[in-house]
Amino acid sequence: MSRITARRRVARYTLGDRTSRREDELTVEEPLEVRVAGTALAVTMRTPGHDIELALGLLVSEGVLRRRDDVLGARHCAGDPLEGSGEYNVVDVALAPGVAPPAATAQHALIMTSACGLCGKDSIDAVRSKSAYEVAGDPVRLDPGWLAGLPDRMRDAQAVFARTGGLHAAALVDVERDEILVVREDVGRHNAVDKVVGWALREDLLPLRGTVLVVSGRAGFELAQKASMAGIPVLAAVSAPSSLAVDLANEVGLTLAGFVRGASLVVYAGDERMTSADAALEVRA
């Protein structure tokens, strides 16, 4: 199995000081091909680790999987030596009888970079029609101060980021129990979210009512889509959301918070779930 980190020789330059040469620890980035019953669905650039979860989470986002029983099995398989793909860089998912495979038009015969999620998924109507779970009626309530502290709690669990500084993270938090259920890291923010959702599918926890999805970086449309498809009512991001992410959040009833840092946050959609109007926190409808 590929390692999560790799070491490379670097030259470190510090103004006013001597140049030093040493090895540095870097995040590994490799392609992963996701197949369904032997048919390629997508190739994504990811950090190796929790690949089965990534594949399952991707299929939840595609509307193929809704519960653990929808999966007959999932396994790593060796890549094609003629194509130069490495072992363990292919995951094949077998669907349970009666579960429809992805439509031919949904198959991504392309490479998704680590910066891009499900490229081209720009139709809010398409997301709404495919989602198996409704999040607007989730009764979860949120204390703004508690919500603002979640990224720091997630950071404490980012073991590989602490060594490399080169990974995004996603965390799933149970609001009522005040418990971080799982944290996953990846060079791609959308991959980290897929790994979290795939973990939840394997644990038979979908829909993820009463939870918050915390993500490092920005909250683009694809992350709001993934939250909605998994039945997650709240998405909290360290950086800004996109306009389309806010539009989708308002459409489906998702609470979307951005710039969640330290003692402040901005709520772009679903602020009715906030339980107080703490003066230290900025809230925008």
Side-chain angles (χ1 to χ4, degrees), residues 53-266:
E53 294 175 352
L54 193 163
L56 297 179
L58 175 62
L59 289 172
V60 171
S61 295
E62 287 292 326
V64 176
L65 301 179
R66 300 183 180 186
R67 57 189 62 86
R68 183 174 60 187
D69 291 345
D70 290 343
V71 181
L72 190 62
R75 65 183 182 90
H76 280 99
C77 47
D80 184 348
L82 296 179
E83 298 295 331
S85 54
E87 193 171 2
Y88 297 112
N89 280 348
V90 179
V91 168
D92 197 3
V93 179
L95 303 179
V99 178
T105 54
Q107 294 176 359
H108 312 290
L110 47 82
I111 292 181
M112 298 187 295
T113 73
S114 55
C116 169
L118 300 182
C119 302
K121 295 285 186 172
D122 55 359
S123 171
I124 290 177
D125 289 339
V127 173
R128 183 174 62 176
S129 67
K130 290 199 325 182
S131 181
Y133 306 118
E134 184 266 343
V135 299
D138 194 306
V140 68
R141 293 294 180 265
L142 305 160
D143 176 80
W146 176 85
L147 188 61
L150 292 182
D152 286 340
R153 292 171 62 182
M154 179 176 70
R155 175 68 64 86
D156 290 341
Q158 290 181 247
V160 181
F161 178 85
R163 290 152 51 194
T164 67
L167 285 175
H168 285 286
L172 185 67
V173 184
D174 185 298
V175 177
E176 183 176 358
R177 292 156 54 186
D178 188 19
E179 178 183 353
I180 295 181
L181 301 177
V182 65
V183 176
R184 291 290 182 260
E185 296 179 281
D186 198 276
V187 70
R189 61 176 62 86
H190 59 284
N191 290 335
V193 171
D194 280 338
K195 289 176 179 182
V196 164
V197 173
W199 172 88
L201 181 82
R202 298 181 85 174
E203 297 294 318
D204 207 19
L205 296 177
L206 269 58
L208 289 164
R209 296 188 178 95
T211 63
V212 177
L213 177 64
V214 186
V215 297
S216 61
R218 63 181 178 84
F221 171 81
E222 73 278 6
L223 298 194
Q225 171 196 6
K226 290 176 185 296
S228 173
M229 295 296 289
I232 299 171
V234 185
L235 173 60
V238 171
S239 294
S242 69
S243 62
L244 194 60
V246 175
D247 291 344
L248 176 60
N250 281 316
E251 176 74 18
V252 302
L254 175 75
T255 294
L256 176 56
F259 296 106
V260 184
R261 305 172 184 173
S264 66
L265 58 88
V266 180

